[in-house]
Amino acid sequence: MTDPRYYFSYTPVNIAPEVCAGVFVLISIAMTMQTFKSQGPKWLLVLPATAFCEAIGYAFRVVCIYWTTLGTFTATSLFLLLPPNALALTNYKTLGKVVQLSTVFLPDNRKPHVFWLKPRFITWFFFTSDVFSFLLQGIGVGISTQDNKRELAKHTVLSGLYVQLFFFAVFLVIAAYIFIDKRFTVAYGPCDHNAQQAKRRLFWVIISTTALLYVRSVYRVAEFVGGYGSKIYGTEWLFYLFDTALVLLSFAIYMQSFIGYHFQPNHQVGTAALNQHPSSAADTAGIKGHAYQMATPYIKRHPQSYRT
């Protein structure tokens, strides 16, 4: 056993990590139930899985209070630094789905042709960048266990964080553009009264959670730039404020305005398209009336079946 201050630069406070672990377990259970109850897409299970990984991280932090070893400290660092990156993956996938399902109803001359508005580009380009950042941060944490490689570890983690910050910023710009562009529409959720409200609700989730993750990454950059023993690294309440609180707030937003309600298998996905493009959407999909019930996965694969 080693003195916790050797790794943390302070003695971790008791009670707080136990509470955090319990809260994240409850979030994981609640969001799993929310996903199945809403009949949302299964890729949204990334959210409860991320919450569960956070709970594991805080459980290891509890262990470190009583039994600090290189292994428990490394596990704590990995499970608290890396899992929130998966929240960004959820946002990337969500935005890609919005573009994909919106453009099904548009004629070719109205579909976006720039590469950065292609659904596959949005999903896989940002997914790849996030995985690359994830790997750099993970490798950095791994080699930080060797005293003679702490400087290399610091620069490796920082490289991953800088990559992450850059792509967060690019993603926010693209998300803002898609939000403003009226060609892109969002299916109604249970609390939405019109297409505009549905779009505002979903993009509030995407943009606000990405912004919170951005601030968290800035804190992590400052922490690693200062290095071991610095003021930021050695101040525990800053960790709970700029990491724990921001991740919890992100989960609160995901739960309050659940993404799954906008991607149900049978949904009024045509209403928004009609409101924005009444003639082109109706001509393309053969829509009669102001709304219809349709299975969005089938439309995505066979849009020609609904043409007049």
Side-chain angles (χ1 to χ4, degrees), residues 128-201:
T128 303
S129 71
D130 211 49
V131 169
F132 180 59
S133 169
F134 181 96
L135 290 174
L136 284 175
Q137 293 174 56
I139 292 170
V141 171
I143 62 178
S144 68
T145 59
Q146 304 174 47
D147 288 340
N148 61 336
K149 293 186 177 179
R150 277 191 171 180
E151 195 65 21
L152 175 62
K154 181 179 84 170
H155 291 297
T156 304
V157 173
L158 281 173
S159 297
L161 289 169
Y162 286 137
V163 168
Q164 192 173 59
L165 284 172
F166 173 76
F167 284 102
F168 277 172
V170 173
F171 177 75
L172 283 170
V173 171
I174 293 176
Y177 178 89
I178 292 173
F179 174 68
I180 295 171
D181 193 327
K182 293 184 178 180
R183 290 176 297 178
F184 301 104
T185 57
V186 174
Y188 289 17
C191 299
D192 301 317
H193 300 294
N194 53 57
Q196 292 75 21
Q197 186 177 13
K199 191 173 185 180
R200 283 196 301 270
R201 185 184 301 275

Side-chain angles (χ1 to χ4, degrees), residues 3 11 18-19 55 84 92 108 133 156 207-208 228 236 242 245:
D3 188 332
T11 301
E18 289 94 332
V19 171
Y92 302 156
D108 289 340
S133 169
T156 304
I207 293 174
S208 63
Y228 176 81
E236 189 175 18
F242 289 106

